[in-house]
Amino acid sequence: MVPLSFADQEWLLTTGRALYWPREQALLVADLHLEKGSFFARHGQPIPPYDSRETLERVALAIRETGARRVITLGDNFHDSDGSTRLEPHACGMLEALTKAVDWVWITGNHDPDMEARCGGTLVEELEIGGTILRHRALPGETRPELSGHYHPRVQLTVQRRHIRRPCAVISANDSVDGKPSGRMILPAFGAYTGGMNAADPAILKALQPANAIDAVVPAKGRLARFPLWRAG
């Protein structure tokens, strides 16, 4: 885990693509896309059906590593709203154990707007904690501190002629609002079967406006690597 300053608070970005909020003892994960494997199987594209188990094991590991007492997901929890009905007993048991161990809040996303919390947890469309807005998709024009997912950002680098793509968070900086610090962050996708979008894609840069600067950030060897994506002017 590496420390990260955001919205005048200290956070921890894990190497496993989660964000820990020490003040709230909360672990934030975006875009789990549980049961993506079974969704594709239904549509004639068989892939290994163990993505939910792998993703939930990684959530459990992040909880142990951080000591989180609360988990907040940032939407697209299942690959579709019926995904929770397809969880096999073992994965459902894993999820039930997690939702009983911590205070678990599901924020719904565009893939699962009508999901049911069949294995525990509480469903909400978005959440505000201490002036920070938690939602699935960044709201263009938002000036308050905001955490979201949806875009599955990845930073793309060329190092010694090697093309490297790594999941990253994308952070925008903006002028303070009413004397309070402002900024917005898009988390990397957490799920086992999630691809990614170039962090510098115009759709991501547009979603984070208004901004003075937009950067990609990645944990690397115990430090936070920062890559400029966009600057005003």
Side-chain angles (χ1 to χ4, degrees):
M1 294 185 289
V2 298
L4 168 65
S5 295
F6 170 75
D8 202 33
Q9 292 188 55
E10 294 303 313
W11 309 67
L12 294 171
L13 189 61
T14 78
T15 54
R17 293 179 263 166
L19 181 69
Y20 182 60
W21 192 353
R23 192 192 73 181
E24 300 294 330
Q25 295 182 297
L27 183 75
L28 289 88
V29 291
D31 299 283
L32 302 177
H33 283 269
L34 299 170
E35 291 306 304
K36 185 173 182 177
S38 61
F39 176 87
F40 275 87
R42 276 189 169 188
H43 293 81
Q45 300 180 54
I47 57 178
Y50 304 113
D51 55 304
S52 295
R53 291 191 189 188
E54 180 180 342
T55 298
L56 293 173
E57 286 172 356
R58 290 178 52 237
V59 174
L61 176 61
I63 291 172
R64 290 196 298 271
E65 287 180 339
T66 61
R69 296 186 177 181
R70 190 177 196 187
V71 170
I72 304 170
T73 72
L74 297 181
D76 286 359
N77 311 296
F78 287 85
H79 194 65
D80 62 292
S81 289
D82 293 330
S84 63
T85 69
R86 300 195 303 274
L87 272 177
E88 42 93 9
H90 182 80
C92 188
M94 293 172 66
L95 183 53
E96 286 178 336
L98 290 172
T99 57
K100 288 177 181 177
V102 296
D103 176 18
W104 189 290
V105 180
W106 303 100
I107 292 176
T108 53
N110 58 290
H111 271 261
D112 52 9
D114 302 313
M115 70 166 279
E116 297 181 21
R118 292 176 178 267
C119 300
T122 302
L123 284 165
V124 298
E125 291 186 6
E126 64 178 53
L127 194 62
E128 179 177 354
I129 301 176
T132 297
I133 308 300
L134 282 62
R135 53 169 59 106
H136 174 59
R137 188 170 185 171
L139 182 65
E142 179 64 81
T143 57
R144 296 169 295 178
E146 176 195 71
L147 297 169
S148 63
H150 181 68
Y151 289 101
H152 304 201
R154 287 177 178 253
V155 66
Q156 300 184 180
L157 307 170
T158 301
V159 180
Q160 296 180 346
R161 299 184 181 180
R162 292 178 56 204
H163 298 290
I164 300 172
R165 300 175 73 237
R166 292 186 60 182
C168 67
V170 179
I171 299 178
S172 70
N174 200 1
D175 294 330
S176 61
V177 178
D178 297 328
K180 298 179 181 179
S182 184
R184 301 162 71 195
M185 186 188 317
I186 297 175
L187 270 63
F190 191 88
Y193 283 178
T194 49
M197 173 186 283
N198 183 355
D201 190 281
I204 293 179
L205 303 183
K206 182 178 179 181
L208 291 175
Q209 299 298 332
N212 297 327
I214 301 176
D215 295 335
V217 296
V218 181
K221 298 181 179 179
R223 301 177 64 181
L224 189 71
R226 187 179 292 265
F227 304 93
L229 300 175
W230 180 89
R231 293 293 184 268

